[in-house]
Amino acid sequence: SQTIHQWPATLVQPVGSPLSLECTVEGTSNPNLYWYRQAAGRGLQLLFYSVGIGQISSEVPQNLSASRPQDRQFILSSKKLLLSDSGFYLCAWSASKGYTFGSGTRLTVV
Amino acid sequence: KQEVTQIPAALSVPEGENLVLNCSFTDSAIYNLQWFRQDPGKGLTSLLLIQSSQREQTSGRLNASLDKSSGRSTLYIAASQPGDSATYLCAVGPLNQAGTALIFGKGTTLSVSS
């Protein structure tokens, strides 16, 4: 069966510090992968998606970047966090049965 | 640009009631529509997926319908229970862009009292 792992579950980081969130998928090959952010009152916003290794599409200009070093690994990064980067970050993958989301990372930038 | 709207934003009902959550989208050229449930502080759990060629899907007490011509979907919950309390999100996938991302509404927060 397919599963998606996302960590850490919660993270508190100071302004200006780097960020690395990791997402891995098991039980499938060549998945489409996505990073979403959910901020209070704003709904789910697509940040990045990837249809293959090294292929990243960015939906919004921002302080974040994404990479896909392996088929089933998707990483969200920042060199210097801003207060506005706080939010709930969700990784997802898609297949014919729809989209499956990870359990999310709650990021608080202080 | 596709936009997804969910009405109402919040809903409170007593246990046992049947209820309907509404979702509308501006561009009827969609690949699929998916309903999710989100509990506070948690990720999204998929409830129902409707492909563009389908008109409805059912799972237990849940029934979702899709009318592409009017740009609407409804999620019907029968005999609501306190455990149904959560935020329900509707999302659409653009047509001819299979593999690109879902576009979400802001959700309906449901509270079922015992």
Side-chain angles (χ1 to χ4, degrees), chain B:
Chain B
K1 178 182 177 182
Q2 179 72 270
E3 293 183 0
V4 180
T5 303
Q6 292 187 247
I7 295 173
L11 181 63
S12 293
V13 300
E15 183 177 6
E17 274 204 6
N18 302 325
L19 57 100
V20 175
L21 307 182
N22 296 294
C23 171
S24 62
F25 43 95
T26 55
D27 187 346
S28 62
I30 65 170
Y31 180 72
N32 55 23
L33 184 145
Q34 195 164 357
W35 282 92
F36 295 88
R37 168 185 173 140
Q38 185 176 30
D39 294 293
K42 304 295 185 182
L44 276 63
T45 300
S46 179
L47 298 174
L48 292 164
L49 169 70
I50 310 177
Q51 304 282 6
S52 63
S53 59
Q54 299 172 325
R55 293 190 64 85
E56 68 175 346
Q57 286 288 328
T58 299
S59 176
R61 294 182 294 108
L62 305 180
N63 175 275
S65 66
L66 173 63
D67 183 346
K68 288 200 302 177
S69 62
S70 65
R72 295 180 184 275
S73 175
T74 61
L75 178 66
Y76 175 82
I77 302 177
S80 59
Q81 303 171 358
D84 295 330
S85 299
T87 297
Y88 291 80
L89 295 162
C90 168
V92 300
L95 186 63
N96 294 330
Q97 297 183 47
T100 58
L102 292 175
I103 299 170
F104 283 82
K106 292 188 176 181
T108 294
T109 299
L110 173 66
S111 176
V112 182
S113 57
S114 57

Side-chain angles (χ1 to χ4, degrees), chain A:
Chain A
S1 63
Q2 300 92 352
T3 57
I4 181 168
H5 301 281
Q6 194 177 340
W7 67 91
T10 60
L11 193 59
V12 179
Q13 292 284 99
V15 170
S17 64
L19 173 73
S20 180
L21 302 180
E22 188 164 344
C23 172
T24 60
V25 180
E26 296 179 357
T28 185
S29 297
N30 196 30
N32 295 321
L33 297 172
Y34 311 85
W35 279 110
Y36 282 85
R37 176 170 60 198
Q38 189 175 38
R42 293 194 61 184
L44 276 150
Q45 178 187 34
L46 175 66
L47 301 176
F48 301 95
Y49 70 91
S50 172
V51 298
I53 295 174
Q55 300 179 60
I56 308 296
S57 296
S58 174
E59 290 295 304
V60 292
Q62 60 208 333
N63 186 42
L64 303 170
S65 62
S67 61
R68 186 168 175 176
Q70 299 180 38
D71 181 46
R72 288 170 284 180
Q73 184 185 31
F74 204 22
I75 298 172
L76 182 69
S77 304
S78 174
K79 292 182 179 178
K80 290 184 178 182
L81 284 168
L82 306 172
L83 287 174
S84 58
D85 292 324
S86 293
F88 191 47
Y89 289 81
L90 290 157
C91 178
W93 71 281
S94 68
S96 59
K97 294 185 178 181
Y99 289 68
T100 300
F101 281 78
S103 54
T105 295
R106 174 75 59 190
L107 172 65
T108 303
V109 182
V110 296

